[in-house]
Amino acid sequence: MVSPLAINFLADFKIDESIQNQVDISSYVSLLVMMVLACGLTFQLPMIIFVLSQVGIMTPKFMRDYRKHAFIVILIIAAVITPSPDVFSQMLVTAPLLLLYEISIFVSARVNNKREKARLASEIAEENEARFRENN
């Protein structure tokens, strides 16, 4: 959705009528590859958060507390990813990134809950084992 908007903008961009845009296949492919890689990497956010949550680096509380900061960072990333300065294409990138951020909070909360349940189960098992040893 963003690529056609960016290509049309860059093709129609003129500073002066005497300057002609000359798009060659290498610049066209370069633009598409950059757009696909940038968007593809950003759509890996839930997986990155999953791994960071598994390790214990990222928590849902941290992500909820810094949601406003993340919004600003997402706007900056969307501005860098989209080569055209129009707001519409930037919002086309921003909306999915915000949705991915919210999904990442959910993923992190789920991983955190599973890790907490496993920790509690481990503690209960240790307590039961200690009681068993005391009784025998």
Side-chain angles (χ1 to χ4, degrees):
M1 289 179 67
V2 176
S3 294
L5 292 172
I7 291 168
N8 285 337
F9 172 79
L10 292 175
D12 294 338
F13 184 75
K14 292 182 182 177
I15 297 174
D16 189 4
E17 291 297 321
S18 63
I19 300 173
Q20 295 288 325
N21 282 340
Q22 301 219 350
V23 179
D24 59 346
I25 193 70
S26 65
S27 65
Y28 178 78
V29 170
S30 173
L31 174 68
L32 283 179
V33 166
M34 189 261 319
M35 295 282 293
V36 167
L37 285 176
C39 290
L41 286 174
T42 56
F43 276 84
Q44 295 301 316
L45 182 64
M47 289 303 296
I48 293 169
I49 296 300
F50 175 78
V51 170
L52 292 175
S53 295
Q54 286 280 63
V55 175
I57 295 173
M58 191 62 64
T59 64
K61 182 184 181 325
F62 175 82
M63 292 180 72
R64 287 183 191 114
D65 290 345
Y66 287 95
R67 185 179 274 141
K68 292 177 187 175
H69 298 87
F71 179 69
I72 299 299
V73 170
I74 287 171
L75 284 174
I76 292 169
I77 289 172
V80 170
I81 289 174
T82 54
S84 61
D86 63 353
V87 176
F88 184 69
S89 63
Q90 186 178 359
M91 288 302 129
L92 280 176
V93 174
T94 302
L97 287 176
L98 287 174
L99 180 65
L100 288 169
Y101 186 79
E102 295 300 323
I103 290 170
S104 297
I105 292 174
F106 174 74
V107 167
S108 180
R110 193 167 169 137
V111 168
N112 197 28
N113 287 342
K114 284 185 179 181
R115 194 175 58 226
E116 189 65 27
K117 284 180 184 178
R119 186 185 63 79
L120 289 174
S122 172
E123 286 178 3
I124 290 171
E126 287 175 5
E127 288 176 10
N128 288 341
E129 185 177 323
R131 288 181 191 155
F132 179 74
R133 286 184 185 161
E134 284 178 5
N135 292 337
N136 290 334

